Structure formats: structure tokens, C-alpha cells
Amino acid sequence: MTAVAPIGEAAALADDPIVVVGMSVEAPGGIDTPAAYWSALTEGRDLIGPFPRDRGWDVDELLGLSARHGWGQVADAGGFLDKATEFDPLFFGISPREAVAMDPQQRVMLRTAWRAVENAGINPRSLAGQEVGVYVGGSAMEYGPRAAEVNEYSGYRAAGSALGAMAGRISHCMQLTGPCMTVDTACASSLTALDLAVKALRDDDAQLALVGGVCVMGSPAAFYEFSKNNALAAGGQCRPYSSEADGTLWGEGAGLIVLERRSRALAADRRIYGEILATGVNHNGGGAGIALPSAAAQQRLIERVVQRAGIAPEHVDLIEGHGTGTAVGDPLELEALSGVYGAARRNAPAAVGSVKSNLGHAQAASGMLGLIKVLLCGLHGQIAPTRHAQQPSDSVDWTDVGLRLPAAVEDWPDRDGVRHAAVSSFGIAGTNAHAIIAMPTETSDNNA
């Protein structure tokens, strides 16, 4: 393993793109490697399971919410991490008592970051003192007792429950001195973190950037909220862009990628998974309720990111959409995607899908899980299927939108040695995020 390559004075910032050199993932179904994740995606595996019975949740009350007037049905289902309660604190220099007081999102993100750095061929301990940035998308998930009471974890709760510590734990443990922040734009968080990290690398504020997203539900609050809004999938499946979609289904997960400039990656002989051509973030800007998406705002953002990427929209063959499986969100998102990408591909529709069909809506981590899916598709030269794609939504005319839902694994031919893809996310507070990725075939290595 090698340390970070030194900054090269000759590297021209404008002509030295940001590339992905490492990745790691944790997903439901016991998945904790990119290879296992890819297998689950290509097999179209259902990673949804029953509510965990070891978190102190009142599952009987949850399943009985529909008996209350105006509340929707809650299925005994979600995409839950198998190893959310597992952690080796001493490995990371943390005492066992402090570890219990830590939000499990901090623990999961810490070990995911460690694995991603190793995946990049770097010894994490070799980064001590270096200007490495950490950008994590995450939201508060109500873990543990209230801080305003006396209990055995008093004194550890300030850092243990802090959003900033999701990123701060990584920088502290690895002794990194670059920018460090946790970003919360709800379900757009991890792609917003990506946008900030790319800007930091372009401004030369960091040599290397660790960018991720995490969601581990410390409480079932999201199920209560969406039951009251009648927006949960009563059938216990998230069906993005499907005529059978009946609401979203919450999930968990974590993903992290390692970014640096291409010149440094090549100098260190690192594997390059892909290049971040362009990113962008905007807001709906008012109008309908804050939780409602805006097709017009999403389309404006996508157009801007395509322009920044410097490619024709018809060159984007794969779109990893947000795809919540809701009657409002999916049609609006498809309208925006069709308005940019589909408009140029009426005769050769672009593939659109969402990993939420496998593992549910992992909230702040969803964009990063989708991005890693895209990188793996590029790595293997295949497009992974979206579950429940056999019956596409009847809210759009699929013969005219320039989009399609892949229901089985497909070969993905390159265009002059490059494959292009896009990833979208939008959050419940009105934030939209979008990214365009290029994956050169000569950098492919099927041993992720």
C-alpha cells in the first residue's frame, strides 16, 4: 500500500479531472464489499427484511398504526443493516463505553471509510497529518437516550450524537487535517457532499477526499411520519417507476468513495473507477409544500450539470434516479429526466433505474449507494436491472420519453472507450443534487 502522492506543481488544475480511486459499501443482506453489492444487484436480489427486534422498537405499535384514524399501513419490512450493532472500538482507539454512546451512523461510517481507503491501495494510517478532506452526508436518526438527563453515557453524548462527528470521527481517527464536514440536505445529502468535495479538490483545499453517506435508523421515526402521511409502501416493497408503486420503504446503508486528481492517481499507480465530470445542487425555490419535488427545478439543475460536463445529453446511457416509488415523486422526476436526457434519445432510450428497488430508501445514503452502483456498472461493462421494472408506471408514455427500465442484466457498450452515466437525488427539504460520471474502459478492473 502507498501513501498519498505529493502535490505536483505541473498539474494544471483545469485540465486535471477528479477521479474515483476507492470505494466501500455496507448494505442490507449482510453486504459489506463492492463485490457482494454487485452480485446482489445483478441477481436482482430482494434485500428487504422484517423490522429488527433488537433495537428496543415497539414493533407491535408500528404494525398497528393503521388502526388509528388517518394513518396508513406499516408493513413489517425495511432494508436494515445486519451489522449495525457490531463495532470494534479498540481498533479505532475508542473506549467501549464511548462507542455505545456513539450514534451507530458514526461507527458504520468510520469502518466504511477505512475500507474505502484500503480499497484505494492506501494504508489509512499513512494519511496522518495529511490534507485529506472528509465529506459525509447524514441526518439525525434519534439514537440513544436524551442528553438532558442523567445516565451512564452522560459526558459522551455531546460528540456521540453530533451530526458533525459522522465526518469528524474519520478525520480524528486517521489524523487527517483537511476540510471535514457532515452535510444534511435530507435525502440529497451524500450527493451534496460529493459536490462540496469536488469543489474543494478543484480549489486545491485537499490532496484527497473521502466522500460518503450513511443511514442507520436509531429509531423508527421515519415509519411513523410516513404512516401519518400515507406515503409508505403497504406491500413492503419499494417499486421505483412502476405502475405497482404504492409508496416508499425505508432502508439503511453506507457508501464511501475516495477522490483525488487524476495526475496524482496515475503517479501512485491507482486503479481509477471513473471521473466526476460535473456535479450540481439547487433548491425548488418555494411553490408547493416543502416536501414536494419540483420537476422544473430538477430539470434546470440537470441542464446546468450537463453543460458543466461538456458532453451531449444523448451520450448518457444510464441514469441512476432517485426513484422513491411514490405517486408524486416518480412522475415528476421522470418528467425532468425526459426533458433533458430523453429528449435526445427518442429512438434509443436511456436506461433509468434505482437501487431502492433492492434495499429501500436509505435516505441520506441513497445517492452514494446509487453512485457506487453506477461505478460498478461501468467497471463490469453491464447495466444492473431494477426490480419491479416489468410493469412501468402508467403516468408516462414510455414510447415517447426517451427512457426505459432495464428488467435484466444488459451489456453496456462503450462510446469511443468511455461510458457515461448520471445520478440524481432530491431531499424532503427541497434540495436537488445531480452528478455526471465518465468511466473509461481502459481503467476497468473487475477485482473491486
Side-chain angles (χ1 to χ4, degrees), residues 321-349:
H322 193 59
T324 56
T326 56
V328 175
D330 283 6
L332 291 173
E333 183 184 8
L334 290 171
E335 178 184 336
L337 294 173
S338 176
V340 182
Y341 297 117
R345 302 195 53 141
R346 294 288 191 258
N347 297 323

PDB file of all heavy atoms in Angstrom, residues 321-349:
ATOM      1  N   GLY A 321     -31.648   7.034 -10.927  1.00  0.00           N
ATOM      2  CA  GLY A 321     -32.563   8.051 -10.433  1.00  0.00           C
ATOM      3  C   GLY A 321     -32.792   7.962  -8.938  1.00  0.00           C
ATOM      4  O   GLY A 321     -32.315   7.060  -8.259  1.00  0.00           O
ATOM      5  N   HIS A 322     -33.545   8.937  -8.444  1.00  0.00           N
ATOM      6  CA  HIS A 322     -33.906   8.937  -7.023  1.00  0.00           C
ATOM      7  C   HIS A 322     -34.924   7.823  -6.772  1.00  0.00           C
ATOM      8  O   HIS A 322     -34.716   6.977  -5.917  1.00  0.00           O
ATOM      9  CB  HIS A 322     -34.467  10.307  -6.644  1.00  0.00           C
ATOM     10  CG  HIS A 322     -34.591  10.524  -5.177  1.00  0.00           C
ATOM     11  ND1 HIS A 322     -33.518  10.451  -4.320  1.00  0.00           N
ATOM     12  CD2 HIS A 322     -35.672  10.812  -4.403  1.00  0.00           C
ATOM     13  CE1 HIS A 322     -33.924  10.690  -3.080  1.00  0.00           C
ATOM     14  NE2 HIS A 322     -35.220  10.903  -3.106  1.00  0.00           N
ATOM     15  N   GLY A 323     -36.014   7.827  -7.518  1.00  0.00           N
ATOM     16  CA  GLY A 323     -36.931   6.687  -7.559  1.00  0.00           C
ATOM     17  C   GLY A 323     -37.472   6.232  -6.228  1.00  0.00           C
ATOM     18  O   GLY A 323     -37.192   5.109  -5.799  1.00  0.00           O
ATOM     19  N   THR A 324     -38.299   7.063  -5.586  1.00  0.00           N
ATOM     20  CA  THR A 324     -38.829   6.704  -4.266  1.00  0.00           C
ATOM     21  C   THR A 324     -40.013   5.751  -4.325  1.00  0.00           C
ATOM     22  O   THR A 324     -40.425   5.220  -3.302  1.00  0.00           O
ATOM     23  CB  THR A 324     -39.268   7.977  -3.510  1.00  0.00           C
ATOM     24  OG1 THR A 324     -40.222   8.691  -4.305  1.00  0.00           O
ATOM     25  CG2 THR A 324     -38.079   8.870  -3.223  1.00  0.00           C
ATOM     26  N   GLY A 325     -40.583   5.562  -5.512  1.00  0.00           N
ATOM     27  CA  GLY A 325     -41.738   4.694  -5.610  1.00  0.00           C
ATOM     28  C   GLY A 325     -43.018   5.345  -5.128  1.00  0.00           C
ATOM     29  O   GLY A 325     -43.956   4.651  -4.734  1.00  0.00           O
ATOM     30  N   THR A 326     -43.079   6.664  -5.183  1.00  0.00           N
ATOM     31  CA  THR A 326     -44.276   7.386  -4.744  1.00  0.00           C
ATOM     32  C   THR A 326     -45.029   7.929  -5.947  1.00  0.00           C
ATOM     33  O   THR A 326     -44.444   8.215  -7.000  1.00  0.00           O
ATOM     34  CB  THR A 326     -43.919   8.551  -3.803  1.00  0.00           C
ATOM     35  OG1 THR A 326     -42.997   9.419  -4.466  1.00  0.00           O
ATOM     36  CG2 THR A 326     -43.281   8.031  -2.533  1.00  0.00           C
ATOM     37  N   ALA A 327     -46.325   8.109  -5.772  1.00  0.00           N
ATOM     38  CA  ALA A 327     -47.192   8.542  -6.868  1.00  0.00           C
ATOM     39  C   ALA A 327     -46.887   9.963  -7.313  1.00  0.00           C
ATOM     40  O   ALA A 327     -47.153  10.331  -8.470  1.00  0.00           O
ATOM     41  CB  ALA A 327     -48.653   8.433  -6.446  1.00  0.00           C
ATOM     42  N   VAL A 328     -46.320  10.781  -6.429  1.00  0.00           N
ATOM     43  CA  VAL A 328     -45.994  12.164  -6.775  1.00  0.00           C
ATOM     44  C   VAL A 328     -44.565  12.286  -7.283  1.00  0.00           C
ATOM     45  O   VAL A 328     -44.301  12.880  -8.331  1.00  0.00           O
ATOM     46  CB  VAL A 328     -46.204  13.094  -5.558  1.00  0.00           C
ATOM     47  CG1 VAL A 328     -45.745  14.507  -5.880  1.00  0.00           C
ATOM     48  CG2 VAL A 328     -47.668  13.098  -5.139  1.00  0.00           C
ATOM     49  N   GLY A 329     -43.609  11.719  -6.537  1.00  0.00           N
ATOM     50  CA  GLY A 329     -42.200  11.934  -6.834  1.00  0.00           C
ATOM     51  C   GLY A 329     -41.734  11.335  -8.140  1.00  0.00           C
ATOM     52  O   GLY A 329     -41.027  11.989  -8.921  1.00  0.00           O
ATOM     53  N   ASP A 330     -42.095  10.090  -8.419  1.00  0.00           N
ATOM     54  CA  ASP A 330     -41.574   9.409  -9.606  1.00  0.00           C
ATOM     55  C   ASP A 330     -41.986  10.085 -10.918  1.00  0.00           C
ATOM     56  O   ASP A 330     -41.142  10.315 -11.787  1.00  0.00           O
ATOM     57  CB  ASP A 330     -42.001   7.946  -9.606  1.00  0.00           C
ATOM     58  CG  ASP A 330     -41.189   7.102  -8.637  1.00  0.00           C
ATOM     59  OD1 ASP A 330     -40.371   7.667  -7.889  1.00  0.00           O
ATOM     60  OD2 ASP A 330     -41.371   5.866  -8.624  1.00  0.00           O
ATOM     61  N   PRO A 331     -43.280  10.406 -11.123  1.00  0.00           N
ATOM     62  CA  PRO A 331     -43.662  11.052 -12.387  1.00  0.00           C
ATOM     63  C   PRO A 331     -42.964  12.393 -12.603  1.00  0.00           C
ATOM     64  O   PRO A 331     -42.562  12.709 -13.727  1.00  0.00           O
ATOM     65  CB  PRO A 331     -45.178  11.230 -12.254  1.00  0.00           C
ATOM     66  CG  PRO A 331     -45.597  10.161 -11.302  1.00  0.00           C
ATOM     67  CD  PRO A 331     -44.470  10.061 -10.314  1.00  0.00           C
ATOM     68  N   LEU A 332     -42.790  13.177 -11.531  1.00  0.00           N
ATOM     69  CA  LEU A 332     -42.120  14.464 -11.667  1.00  0.00           C
ATOM     70  C   LEU A 332     -40.650  14.278 -12.022  1.00  0.00           C
ATOM     71  O   LEU A 332     -40.097  15.012 -12.857  1.00  0.00           O
ATOM     72  CB  LEU A 332     -42.262  15.277 -10.376  1.00  0.00           C
ATOM     73  CG  LEU A 332     -43.670  15.784 -10.072  1.00  0.00           C
ATOM     74  CD1 LEU A 332     -43.726  16.421  -8.685  1.00  0.00           C
ATOM     75  CD2 LEU A 332     -44.121  16.781 -11.131  1.00  0.00           C
ATOM     76  N   GLU A 333     -40.010  13.287 -11.401  1.00  0.00           N
ATOM     77  CA  GLU A 333     -38.613  13.032 -11.718  1.00  0.00           C
ATOM     78  C   GLU A 333     -38.459  12.554 -13.159  1.00  0.00           C
ATOM     79  O   GLU A 333     -37.551  12.999 -13.884  1.00  0.00           O
ATOM     80  CB  GLU A 333     -38.027  11.997 -10.764  1.00  0.00           C
ATOM     81  CG  GLU A 333     -36.549  11.750 -11.008  1.00  0.00           C
ATOM     82  CD  GLU A 333     -35.966  10.649 -10.141  1.00  0.00           C
ATOM     83  OE1 GLU A 333     -36.725   9.953  -9.445  1.00  0.00           O
ATOM     84  OE2 GLU A 333     -34.727  10.481 -10.180  1.00  0.00           O
ATOM     85  N   LEU A 334     -39.325  11.655 -13.602  1.00  0.00           N
ATOM     86  CA  LEU A 334     -39.261  11.169 -14.982  1.00  0.00           C
ATOM     87  C   LEU A 334     -39.485  12.300 -15.971  1.00  0.00           C
ATOM     88  O   LEU A 334     -38.853  12.337 -17.037  1.00  0.00           O
ATOM     89  CB  LEU A 334     -40.296  10.065 -15.194  1.00  0.00           C
ATOM     90  CG  LEU A 334     -40.007   8.737 -14.482  1.00  0.00           C
ATOM     91  CD1 LEU A 334     -41.201   7.800 -14.591  1.00  0.00           C
ATOM     92  CD2 LEU A 334     -38.752   8.070 -15.026  1.00  0.00           C
ATOM     93  N   GLU A 335     -40.338  13.242 -15.612  1.00  0.00           N
ATOM     94  CA  GLU A 335     -40.565  14.404 -16.479  1.00  0.00           C
ATOM     95  C   GLU A 335     -39.279  15.209 -16.646  1.00  0.00           C
ATOM     96  O   GLU A 335     -38.923  15.615 -17.759  1.00  0.00           O
ATOM     97  CB  GLU A 335     -41.660  15.285 -15.874  1.00  0.00           C
ATOM     98  CG  GLU A 335     -41.957  16.552 -16.660  1.00  0.00           C
ATOM     99  CD  GLU A 335     -42.985  17.436 -15.968  1.00  0.00           C
ATOM    100  OE1 GLU A 335     -43.782  16.910 -15.156  1.00  0.00           O
ATOM    101  OE2 GLU A 335     -42.982  18.655 -16.226  1.00  0.00           O
ATOM    102  N   ALA A 336     -38.561  15.430 -15.529  1.00  0.00           N
ATOM    103  CA  ALA A 336     -37.317  16.189 -15.595  1.00  0.00           C
ATOM    104  C   ALA A 336     -36.238  15.436 -16.373  1.00  0.00           C
ATOM    105  O   ALA A 336     -35.534  16.020 -17.213  1.00  0.00           O
ATOM    106  CB  ALA A 336     -36.825  16.502 -14.184  1.00  0.00           C
ATOM    107  N   LEU A 337     -36.095  14.145 -16.119  1.00  0.00           N
ATOM    108  CA  LEU A 337     -35.086  13.350 -16.817  1.00  0.00           C
ATOM    109  C   LEU A 337     -35.382  13.272 -18.311  1.00  0.00           C
ATOM    110  O   LEU A 337     -34.481  13.376 -19.153  1.00  0.00           O
ATOM    111  CB  LEU A 337     -35.030  11.939 -16.226  1.00  0.00           C
ATOM    112  CG  LEU A 337     -34.537  11.830 -14.780  1.00  0.00           C
ATOM    113  CD1 LEU A 337     -34.687  10.390 -14.267  1.00  0.00           C
ATOM    114  CD2 LEU A 337     -33.099  12.300 -14.636  1.00  0.00           C
ATOM    115  N   SER A 338     -36.646  13.110 -18.642  1.00  0.00           N
ATOM    116  CA  SER A 338     -37.028  13.042 -20.039  1.00  0.00           C
ATOM    117  C   SER A 338     -36.787  14.366 -20.740  1.00  0.00           C
ATOM    118  O   SER A 338     -36.376  14.402 -21.912  1.00  0.00           O
ATOM    119  CB  SER A 338     -38.506  12.656 -20.165  1.00  0.00           C
ATOM    120  OG  SER A 338     -38.930  12.673 -21.510  1.00  0.00           O
ATOM    121  N   GLY A 339     -37.003  15.467 -20.031  1.00  0.00           N
ATOM    122  CA  GLY A 339     -36.838  16.781 -20.623  1.00  0.00           C
ATOM    123  C   GLY A 339     -35.412  17.083 -21.034  1.00  0.00           C
ATOM    124  O   GLY A 339     -35.175  17.933 -21.898  1.00  0.00           O
ATOM    125  N   VAL A 340     -34.438  16.397 -20.419  1.00  0.00           N
ATOM    126  CA  VAL A 340     -33.024  16.632 -20.757  1.00  0.00           C
ATOM    127  C   VAL A 340     -32.444  15.436 -21.506  1.00  0.00           C
ATOM    128  O   VAL A 340     -32.007  15.552 -22.652  1.00  0.00           O
ATOM    129  CB  VAL A 340     -32.187  16.930 -19.498  1.00  0.00           C
ATOM    130  CG1 VAL A 340     -30.736  17.225 -19.894  1.00  0.00           C
ATOM    131  CG2 VAL A 340     -32.776  18.096 -18.719  1.00  0.00           C
ATOM    132  N   TYR A 341     -32.422  14.291 -20.845  1.00  0.00           N
ATOM    133  CA  TYR A 341     -31.785  13.114 -21.447  1.00  0.00           C
ATOM    134  C   TYR A 341     -32.694  12.436 -22.478  1.00  0.00           C
ATOM    135  O   TYR A 341     -32.257  12.054 -23.558  1.00  0.00           O
ATOM    136  CB  TYR A 341     -31.398  12.119 -20.361  1.00  0.00           C
ATOM    137  CG  TYR A 341     -30.383  12.653 -19.390  1.00  0.00           C
ATOM    138  CD1 TYR A 341     -30.686  12.812 -18.040  1.00  0.00           C
ATOM    139  CD2 TYR A 341     -29.110  13.025 -19.816  1.00  0.00           C
ATOM    140  CE1 TYR A 341     -29.757  13.303 -17.142  1.00  0.00           C
ATOM    141  CE2 TYR A 341     -28.163  13.528 -18.916  1.00  0.00           C
ATOM    142  CZ  TYR A 341     -28.496  13.660 -17.584  1.00  0.00           C
ATOM    143  OH  TYR A 341     -27.573  14.155 -16.707  1.00  0.00           O
ATOM    144  N   GLY A 342     -33.957  12.268 -22.133  1.00  0.00           N
ATOM    145  CA  GLY A 342     -34.871  11.555 -23.017  1.00  0.00           C
ATOM    146  C   GLY A 342     -35.167  12.296 -24.304  1.00  0.00           C
ATOM    147  O   GLY A 342     -35.398  11.679 -25.350  1.00  0.00           O
ATOM    148  N   ALA A 343     -35.154  13.628 -24.235  1.00  0.00           N
ATOM    149  CA  ALA A 343     -35.481  14.428 -25.417  1.00  0.00           C
ATOM    150  C   ALA A 343     -34.523  14.145 -26.567  1.00  0.00           C
ATOM    151  O   ALA A 343     -34.889  14.276 -27.740  1.00  0.00           O
ATOM    152  CB  ALA A 343     -35.441  15.914 -25.057  1.00  0.00           C
ATOM    153  N   ALA A 344     -33.295  13.759 -26.231  1.00  0.00           N
ATOM    154  CA  ALA A 344     -32.291  13.483 -27.259  1.00  0.00           C
ATOM    155  C   ALA A 344     -32.213  12.006 -27.628  1.00  0.00           C
ATOM    156  O   ALA A 344     -31.379  11.635 -28.462  1.00  0.00           O
ATOM    157  CB  ALA A 344     -30.924  13.963 -26.774  1.00  0.00           C
ATOM    158  N   ARG A 345     -33.071  11.177 -26.985  1.00  0.00           N
ATOM    159  CA  ARG A 345     -32.916   9.723 -27.172  1.00  0.00           C
ATOM    160  C   ARG A 345     -34.250   9.042 -27.451  1.00  0.00           C
ATOM    161  O   ARG A 345     -34.514   7.947 -26.970  1.00  0.00           O
ATOM    162  CB  ARG A 345     -32.275   9.110 -25.928  1.00  0.00           C
ATOM    163  CG  ARG A 345     -30.902   9.713 -25.596  1.00  0.00           C
ATOM    164  CD  ARG A 345     -30.149   8.862 -24.624  1.00  0.00           C
ATOM    165  NE  ARG A 345     -30.039   7.493 -25.043  1.00  0.00           N
ATOM    166  CZ  ARG A 345     -28.944   6.742 -24.873  1.00  0.00           C
ATOM    167  NH1 ARG A 345     -27.853   7.268 -24.331  1.00  0.00           N
ATOM    168  NH2 ARG A 345     -28.931   5.487 -25.245  1.00  0.00           N
ATOM    169  N   ARG A 346     -35.080   9.672 -28.226  1.00  0.00           N
ATOM    170  CA  ARG A 346     -36.380   9.080 -28.529  1.00  0.00           C
ATOM    171  C   ARG A 346     -36.242   7.720 -29.212  1.00  0.00           C
ATOM    172  O   ARG A 346     -37.032   6.805 -28.975  1.00  0.00           O
ATOM    173  CB  ARG A 346     -37.185  10.028 -29.435  1.00  0.00           C
ATOM    174  CG  ARG A 346     -37.583  11.348 -28.780  1.00  0.00           C
ATOM    175  CD  ARG A 346     -38.673  11.161 -27.743  1.00  0.00           C
ATOM    176  NE  ARG A 346     -39.225  12.449 -27.312  1.00  0.00           N
ATOM    177  CZ  ARG A 346     -38.912  13.049 -26.169  1.00  0.00           C
ATOM    178  NH1 ARG A 346     -38.044  12.474 -25.361  1.00  0.00           N
ATOM    179  NH2 ARG A 346     -39.461  14.195 -25.842  1.00  0.00           N
ATOM    180  N   ASN A 347     -35.218   7.567 -30.067  1.00  0.00           N
ATOM    181  CA  ASN A 347     -35.054   6.326 -30.823  1.00  0.00           C
ATOM    182  C   ASN A 347     -34.167   5.301 -30.122  1.00  0.00           C
ATOM    183  O   ASN A 347     -34.122   4.143 -30.537  1.00  0.00           O
ATOM    184  CB  ASN A 347     -34.481   6.639 -32.207  1.00  0.00           C
ATOM    185  CG  ASN A 347     -35.411   7.501 -33.034  1.00  0.00           C
ATOM    186  OD1 ASN A 347     -36.631   7.348 -32.964  1.00  0.00           O
ATOM    187  ND2 ASN A 347     -34.842   8.427 -33.797  1.00  0.00           N
ATOM    188  N   ALA A 348     -33.455   5.727 -29.106  1.00  0.00           N
ATOM    189  CA  ALA A 348     -32.570   4.814 -28.360  1.00  0.00           C
ATOM    190  C   ALA A 348     -32.625   5.217 -26.889  1.00  0.00           C
ATOM    191  O   ALA A 348     -31.709   5.860 -26.369  1.00  0.00           O
ATOM    192  CB  ALA A 348     -31.148   4.884 -28.893  1.00  0.00           C
ATOM    193  N   PRO A 349     -33.704   4.855 -26.200  1.00  0.00           N
ATOM    194  CA  PRO A 349     -33.933   5.333 -24.833  1.00  0.00           C
ATOM    195  C   PRO A 349     -32.796   5.004 -23.865  1.00  0.00           C
ATOM    196  O   PRO A 349     -32.168   3.942 -23.956  1.00  0.00           O
ATOM    197  CB  PRO A 349     -35.221   4.620 -24.425  1.00  0.00           C
ATOM    198  CG  PRO A 349     -35.905   4.306 -25.711  1.00  0.00           C
ATOM    199  CD  PRO A 349     -34.799   4.005 -26.670  1.00  0.00           C
TER     200      PRO A 349
END
